[in-house]
Amino acid sequence: MLLAFALCNSASAQPIAPGEYVRSGDSGVLKIERQHGQTSFSLETTGANCHSCSMSGQIKGSYAQTNDESDDTTGPSCRVRLTPSHQGQWLDLPLQNGEACLQHCGARAHIGGTYRKPPAHCSRTGQRKARDTFIAHYRAKQYPQAVAALSPVLEQCGDFLDWIEADRIRNDLALAHFHAGAPGQCLKLLQNTRASGQADEQGLKGEIPPCDFDNYVATARATWHNMSLCKGSTGR
């Protein structure tokens, strides 16, 4: 079976540029690359309870065709129009894509939505550099510098972070504030986490899907511990 993505090819359409496009909340990544005269793509998305979509292939003309193992070309094909906007920095995929597309996805995942090119400091490489700089300053007990290195990721890149990663960053920054003598800032950050709204694991388990709970529970435990730490220092 062939899976194809129809790319917008009208005369007025903006060109589809190579690069990495990210869906809100880091819930999907569409990569388009050109090499040796060929254009390839890969698309990975995640949905509720760790369900996912995964596909990749070659773009030829106005279509992207997956690298399916089957040579059968008589089956239904999935065609999704990629609509560029914002000077080619955004790509829109429709939410409804037919049964053929669903074969590449879990029951609670889909490929539709708006994918955007993140600013350099919000890309995965940029985030990794910021975290490495944060760790270096933190280990050197340079806590204000550590906060300065990682804060822009949380403040400016929220649309490109999944919620668990955002809460991990909040915990890292909270500890840096605590060690810098600012427990009030520590609490302020942690009060914006998902875990802060629950008293314990049992309460949290009732609020999120099982797989999300498994992925988040370590961060939740850190949050509860760090909140106690910072509350103790503020005398609350």
Side-chain angles (χ1 to χ4, degrees):
M1 182 188 72
L2 299 180
L3 171 72
F5 286 89
L7 306 182
C8 186
N9 60 359
S10 66
S12 60
Q14 300 176 41
I16 297 188
E20 183 172 286
Y21 300 80
V22 180
R23 193 169 66 177
S24 179
D26 196 28
S27 62
V29 178
L30 171 62
K31 295 181 180 179
I32 299 176
E33 299 179 336
R34 288 189 188 135
Q35 191 173 29
H36 307 303
Q38 293 187 327
T39 304
S40 62
F41 80 95
S42 64
L43 178 59
E44 306 281 342
T45 72
T46 55
N49 207 27
C50 301
H51 287 220
S52 64
C53 301
S54 179
M55 55 194 71
S56 63
Q58 298 294 318
I59 296 177
K60 298 179 181 179
S62 59
Y63 293 92
Q65 181 175 304
T66 58
N67 296 323
D68 291 329
E69 293 181 2
S70 172
D71 291 328
D72 179 14
T73 61
T74 63
S77 55
C78 170
R79 294 178 181 272
V80 179
R81 182 175 293 277
L82 299 182
T83 305
S85 62
H86 295 75
Q87 290 75 50
Q89 298 299 299
W90 295 22
L91 290 175
D92 289 311
L93 280 69
L95 295 176
Q96 301 297 325
N97 296 299
E99 290 296 325
C101 301
L102 296 179
Q103 296 181 30
H104 290 263
C105 297
R108 299 186 183 182
H110 64 89
I111 60 174
T114 298
Y115 295 73
R116 297 180 292 163
K117 279 189 175 182
H121 67 286
C122 295
S123 67
R124 294 187 175 185
T125 299
Q127 291 179 39
R128 186 163 53 250
K129 288 181 179 178
R131 180 168 287 284
D132 289 345
T133 302
F134 169 86
I135 291 172
H137 285 305
Y138 189 91
R139 289 176 175 170
K141 299 184 178 182
Q142 299 168 338
Y143 301 117
Q145 294 93 326
V147 169
L150 193 56
S151 289
V153 175
L154 186 64
E155 294 168 358
Q156 302 170 19
C157 306
D159 286 346
F160 304 102
L161 296 172
D162 75 69
W163 66 275
I164 295 178
E165 179 61 20
D167 275 7
R168 288 176 182 146
I169 292 174
R170 290 186 179 101
N171 272 274
D172 288 342
L173 288 171
L175 281 178
H177 278 297
F178 171 77
H179 289 298
Q185 285 298 110
C186 170
L187 280 175
K188 184 177 180 181
L189 279 162
L190 296 177
Q191 286 167 352
N192 288 322
T193 63
R194 180 77 65 92
S196 69
Q198 303 297 327
D200 53 31
E201 292 182 25
Q202 194 62 35
L204 182 65
K205 188 175 290 186
E207 292 296 317
I208 60 178
C211 186
D212 292 340
F213 174 84
D214 291 341
N215 289 334
Y216 183 61
V217 67
T219 301
R221 291 169 183 157
T223 300
W224 294 322
H225 171 79
N226 294 335
M227 289 186 76
S228 297
L229 193 69
C230 294
K231 283 180 180 178
S233 292
T234 60
R236 296 174 60 183

